[in-house]
Amino acid sequence: MISLDFLPNFGTLKYDKMAEIEIRLPKMGESVTEATITNWLKNPGDKIAMDEPLVEVATDKVDNELPSEVAGTLIKCLFEKDQVAQVGDVIAIISTDGPSDNATNTLAKDNIAEITPSNSAATSPIVETIAAPSNHEVMQLNIPQGQGKFFSPLVKSIAQKEAVSLEQLNTISGTGQDGRVTKKDILAFLENKTTNPAVTTSPVAVAPTTAAAIPETKIVAPIAIASGEDQIIEMDRMRKLIADHMVMSKHVSPHVTSFVEADVTNIVNWRNKVKSKFFDTYGQNITFTPIFIEAIVKAIKDFPMINVSVVGTTIIKKSAINIGMATALPSGNLIVPVIKNADRLNLLGLTKAVNELANNARNNKLKPDDTSGGTYTMTNVGSFGNVMGTPIINQPQVAIMAVGAIRKIPAVIETPEGDFIGIRHKMFLSHSYDHRVVDGALGGQFVRRVADYLESFDISQNY
């Protein structure tokens, strides 16, 4: 017997003094189980250095470049461009001693305990077969984070086809990594279900579950006919994701928007006064965004039922306050990085978090975890000169706030000596919320409270 304890963690074997290393798709976030290969930066036969970018991949969160784990020669790419790979899949083979004429040896350590050598084994390299990912549409299961269960697209597809409910999926004991339900687990469940039929339950929902069963109405988009002079532009991957997410949100949540005007004169004057010293002291540019986020966080503490999600007829009240901030990209697309535990940060901490995430977003350096876990979102439509807006809720959240442009306007100023007209800096706050769980009273009081915090900003604070 030959023990495989000498194998490195990536699970490779050496033959003919060659070292052929499996490059696997790494884990890129708590809820990320797959990624699309968008571009190979090296071709088979190319030399590659350690930590040199090898491939560009895209998840439903962000796009990333994956560096090579070793220096050597790229032998084989196991996934084509636009194919989907699962976390842990072998996506490429790199030889650390140059190209090999032999078949690639890719025995996975996790699946083999020992090898018994034979004459045929000595002459025939062992090749691992990697199944190509299916092209079926990925369906979204909106599962509470607290349950800690995630299902692969394959498991979801089987569940949908076999009418397995979400409740039934959660009861299956997974034998995969971290207790994940595998294809074998769900097929065993279905076999047992066939042998011992139970009461039929509703199938897994493709979109986030609504409070009551609503007959589905098929909506057909109008057909636009392009003339000879029109330009036809194919949506890129991110634009397709944004489009699908926005349509889904409007379909799931009945949107209501409330508006409040806030006087932010004190904030404008304070920022103009301290911004140079702030940069000299901390090396950070202080913008209005962290000030707005600080006010939103305070209001969430006052009205915690804004910081919730909906699953069926259940409301999940979030303990963490994670604020997403919509950020425009140079490509014209939009992404929402998230400031985790924003309630634990002072104004300086929020400023650093805002600047870091915004810079990483514009430079395409965000990690998948940077865009996950948001519980409330803010979007700054004022950066484009817009006065107000009606933002679409970022599911599975239930509310979003748009902050408008700050304008100098004449306003009535009330004083003990009487009223007079003065020039003030004012802005509109636009608060969209899910009317399934947020009524007008809560939605309106929340945006009013944010405005109150902005208007009572402490100009003597030390950040």
Side-chain angles (χ1 to χ4, degrees):
M1 296 292 191
I2 301 176
S3 173
L4 294 187
D5 291 338
F6 67 90
L7 287 178
N9 289 334
F10 36 72
T12 61
L13 292 176
K14 300 181 180 180
Y15 290 93
D16 301 327
K17 298 182 180 179
M18 299 293 297
E20 295 182 348
I21 309 301
E22 295 177 340
I23 304 300
R24 297 180 180 271
L25 184 66
K27 187 174 182 180
M28 295 179 290
E30 181 182 7
S31 60
V32 178
T33 60
E34 64 182 17
T36 302
I37 305 297
T38 56
N39 186 35
W40 284 101
L41 303 177
K42 295 289 184 179
N43 296 315
D46 289 349
K47 296 284 187 179
I48 188 167
M50 180 178 291
D51 295 328
E52 184 179 359
L54 171 65
V55 62
E56 293 177 349
V57 300
T59 70
D60 60 350
K61 305 289 185 183
V62 294
D63 295 348
N64 272 343
E65 286 184 351
L66 298 184
S68 174
E69 302 171 12
V70 294
T73 302
L74 179 62
I75 299 298
K76 190 174 184 181
C77 300
L78 299 177
F79 283 81
E80 299 292 335
K81 181 179 177 181
D82 295 328
Q83 280 192 313
V84 177
Q86 302 297 311
V87 170
D89 282 350
V90 179
I91 59 173
I93 306 294
I94 293 179
S95 170
T96 58
D97 296 309
S100 170
D101 295 329
N102 297 328
T104 304
N105 307 303
T106 57
L107 285 175
K109 180 180 179 182
D110 292 340
N111 298 326
I112 305 174
E114 53 186 21
I115 298 177
T116 304
S118 64
N119 292 334
S120 60
T123 58
S124 302
I126 304 174
V127 180
E128 181 185 53
T129 302
I130 299 179
S134 62
N135 293 323
H136 63 267
E137 182 179 355
V138 178
M139 57 188 239
Q140 303 296 326
L141 280 178
N142 198 357
I143 301 174
Q145 291 285 349
Q147 294 184 23
K149 280 208 171 187
F150 299 96
F151 302 97
S152 69
L154 177 59
V155 170
K156 295 176 190 176
S157 176
I158 295 173
Q160 185 181 28
K161 292 177 182 178
E162 300 296 334
V164 178
S165 70
L166 180 57
E167 292 78 12
Q168 289 174 314
L169 268 181
N170 281 319
T171 64
I172 300 175
S173 297
T175 60
Q177 183 178 4
D178 297 327
R180 183 176 298 170
V181 176
T182 65
K183 176 183 176 182
K184 179 181 178 181
D185 297 328
I186 192 170
L187 291 179
F189 170 84
L190 290 172
E191 182 177 356
N192 184 60
K193 183 180 177 183
T194 304
T195 307
N196 304 299
V199 179
T200 303
T201 56
S202 58
V204 174
V206 174
T209 312
T210 53
I214 302 174
E216 184 176 349
T217 303
K218 186 175 182 180
I219 301 175
V220 180
I223 299 176
I225 306 298
S227 67
E229 298 180 354
D230 293 338
Q231 182 182 7
I232 300 175
I233 302 172
E234 178 69 21
M235 289 186 186
D236 61 22
R237 177 186 169 279
M238 182 171 284
R239 176 50 52 187
K240 291 176 182 177
L241 288 171
I242 293 171
D244 290 343
H245 193 66
M246 294 300 99
V247 171
M248 179 271 289
S249 182
K250 293 292 286 187
H251 177 74
V252 169
S253 298
H255 282 56
V256 178
T257 307
S258 296
F259 305 89
V260 165
E261 190 175 31
D263 187 330
V264 292
T265 305
N266 287 342
I267 293 176
V268 173
N269 292 337
W270 175 84
R271 176 179 173 272
N272 289 337
K273 178 182 176 181
V274 307
K275 61 182 180 181
S276 296
K277 182 180 178 181
F278 195 96
F279 181 81
D280 292 340
T281 304
Y282 302 108
Q284 299 285 331
N285 289 315
I286 183 167
T287 64
F288 292 109
T289 299
I291 301 174
F292 297 153
I293 291 176
E294 183 183 52
I296 289 172
V297 168
K298 291 178 179 178
I300 288 176
K301 290 181 178 179
D302 295 340
F303 299 98
M305 289 307 292
I306 286 290
N307 200 49
V308 303
S309 291
V310 181
V311 177
T313 56
T314 302
I315 299 174
I316 302 173
K317 186 178 177 182
K318 301 291 187 176
S319 58
I321 299 178
N322 301 331
I323 305 298
M325 54 176 207
T327 304
L329 299 176
S331 64
N333 289 321
L334 186 72
I335 198 165
V336 185
V338 177
I339 300 175
K340 304 290 177 63
N341 299 307
D343 53 318
R344 301 179 186 177
L345 301 176
N346 59 12
L347 189 56
L348 174 60
L350 289 172
T351 300
K352 290 180 177 179
V354 167
N355 291 343
E356 180 181 5
L357 289 172
N359 289 333
N360 287 345
R362 296 187 184 102
N363 295 318
N364 199 29
K365 292 183 178 179
L366 286 176
K367 301 175 182 177
D369 277 343
D370 291 334
T371 59
S372 65
T375 62
Y376 188 94
T377 296
M378 187 200 80
T379 178
N380 188 350
V381 299
S383 60
F384 308 108
N386 298 152
V387 176
M388 60 179 67
T390 54
I392 297 176
I393 297 166
N394 186 16
Q395 299 291 335
Q397 300 164 28
V398 299
I400 181 173
M401 183 169 294
V403 294
I406 299 174
R407 302 164 299 131
K408 286 183 180 180
I409 61 172
V412 176
I413 302 174
E414 298 178 353
T415 69
E417 291 75 26
D419 299 342
F420 64 93
I421 301 295
I423 303 301
R424 306 295 291 177
H425 291 85
K426 292 199 171 188
M427 63 181 295
F428 280 100
L429 305 177
S430 310
H431 186 220
S432 293
Y433 44 92
D434 187 340
H435 212 337
R436 292 179 300 169
V437 291
V438 181
D439 291 327
L442 175 57
Q445 289 174 32
F446 177 83
V447 66
R448 180 64 257 175
R449 186 63 56 85
V450 174
D452 291 342
Y453 280 123
L454 293 175
E455 292 179 345
S456 61
F457 180 80
D458 182 8
I459 59 176
S460 63
Q461 66 172 291
N462 295 318
Y463 333 126

